[in-house]
Amino acid sequence: MSTLLVWRDKLQTIYAEYSIYILKALQFLAGLIVFGLINANIGFMEQASSVLCTAGLAVICTFFPMTIMALAATLLILVHFYAVSMPIAVVSLVIFFLMYIFYFRFTPKKAWIVLLSAVAFGLKAPFVIPAVFGLLGTPVWIVPAAFGIMSYYMADLVKDSSAALKSADAENMADVLISYTRQVFTNKEMWLMIAAAVIGILVVHLVRTRSVDHAWKIGSAAGAAVSVIIASAGSIALDLDISFAVILVSAVLGIAVGLVLEFFFFSVDYSRSENIQFEDDEYYYYVKAVPKVGVAAPEKEVKRITGERPGRRKNDKKPEEEQPDKLNEEKTDEILLTRSLSKELGIDQEKDKTE
């Protein structure tokens, strides 16, 4: 465990030093995944679904805020819808416009939530959303999360009914538009999954904000369990064709992601927690203090190993030890020599004086 904590501290240090480059690299990777999933699932227009277009959009959106990436993804979806039917693209544009009104009202700087929600459903891991959003966010995050899920099901609906939409003539177009709008807003599976994700987020956030020990672990497990129960019970009650394997695997993956997030963002030592009580003139305060887990990086110790030279005795002095003795002997010889000279000179001076 201490080794993992050391590596965590190293990763945090690297991120603090190169955060700009790391964020841009992650943003580019997110663009590739988002635009790649859109083109792979609803690539009705060949020019827009090419690899060059996917990479180009990812590169361009890397140098702009995430809101621009969300808008670019919306435009790409509308372009593919236009290749199927222009009225369908117009109706979808109105629906997207209404969603973005609420998005900019509640969470204007959380465009990545919309993208991550749609990507999670596209990758068949829907119940990763409750763990991530419930642990890192606030209840307001349910709004963009719901919009991301709605965007995924809109694209999935057009994909499944593309043949009927293309074959519709001008006389039947009004009926097609009414049917499409009704299917978007009365899609039972979509609303069931939105309810499961939203309730899961609220449960995770509620448990995570409590003062109980291991709140993040309990919250991740509780959110995953609640989401699985709601999705499974709703699928049986509404007679929907939802894969239980996808539900269970995504729930387990959500718990694993929750453990990883706790390790990086909320690693504490509950064995050393303390309950503190104090008061002022108006209130009594009850505080639970839980220390963070931190491990100092081990310092490297350099050991110098010096071998004895061949042919040398143990009692022999090393060259470094012999040099000071030689210097001392030379100094003493110089002192004695100067003293003897001074005496002789002093005697000669006295003889000169007497003469």
Side-chain angles (χ1 to χ4, degrees), residues 238-252:
L238 300 175
D239 194 17
L240 300 175
D241 187 16
I242 299 177
S243 175
F244 292 101
V246 171
I247 293 175
L248 293 175
V249 171
S250 64
V252 173

Side-chain angles (χ1 to χ4, degrees), residues 277-332:
Q277 176 185 349
F278 57 94
E279 62 177 292
D280 58 11
D281 295 336
E282 298 180 356
Y283 296 97
Y284 285 95
Y285 301 92
Y286 299 90
V287 180
K288 183 178 181 179
V290 183
K292 295 182 179 180
V293 176
V295 177
E299 298 180 357
K300 295 182 179 179
E301 296 181 358
V302 179
K303 295 182 178 180
R304 296 181 179 179
I305 301 175
T306 57
E308 295 182 355
R309 293 183 182 179
R312 177 183 299 226
R313 298 178 181 176
K314 292 183 178 180
N315 296 327
D316 291 346
K317 294 183 179 180
K318 296 180 181 179
E320 293 83 0
E321 297 175 354
E322 293 175 355
Q323 288 178 359
D325 295 339
K326 290 181 179 180
L327 292 174
N328 292 330
E329 292 177 358
E330 292 177 357
K331 287 182 179 180
T332 52

Side-chain angles (χ1 to χ4, degrees), residues 57-75:
L57 287 174
V59 171
I60 293 172
C61 293
T62 301
F63 301 97
F64 293 95
M66 291 296 292
T67 305
I68 302 300
M69 184 180 293
L71 294 175
T74 304
L75 291 176

Side-chain angles (χ1 to χ4, degrees), residues 340-352:
S340 61
L341 290 174
S342 62
K343 288 181 179 179
E344 292 178 357
L345 292 173
I347 296 170
D348 293 338
Q349 289 177 359
E350 290 179 358
K351 289 179 180 181
D352 294 335

Side-chain angles (χ1 to χ4, degrees), residues 159-236:
K159 178 184 177 181
D160 294 338
S161 59
S162 59
L165 293 173
K166 287 181 179 179
S167 62
D169 52 8
E171 296 179 357
N172 299 328
M173 187 56 66
D175 295 335
V176 171
L177 291 177
I178 294 173
S179 176
Y180 170 72
T181 306
R182 185 184 296 113
Q183 289 179 2
V184 170
F185 289 102
T186 60
N187 191 338
K188 295 179 181 179
E189 182 178 345
M190 180 186 73
W191 290 113
L192 176 63
M193 297 305 289
I194 289 176
V198 167
I199 295 175
I201 292 172
L202 295 177
V203 169
V204 174
H205 182 267
L206 179 64
V207 177
R208 191 260 295 177
T209 53
R210 301 303 96 188
S211 61
V212 297
D213 293 351
H214 307 284
W216 282 48
K217 294 184 180 69
I218 298 173
S220 300
V226 169
S227 300
V228 169
I229 292 172
I230 293 174
S232 302
S235 178
I236 296 171

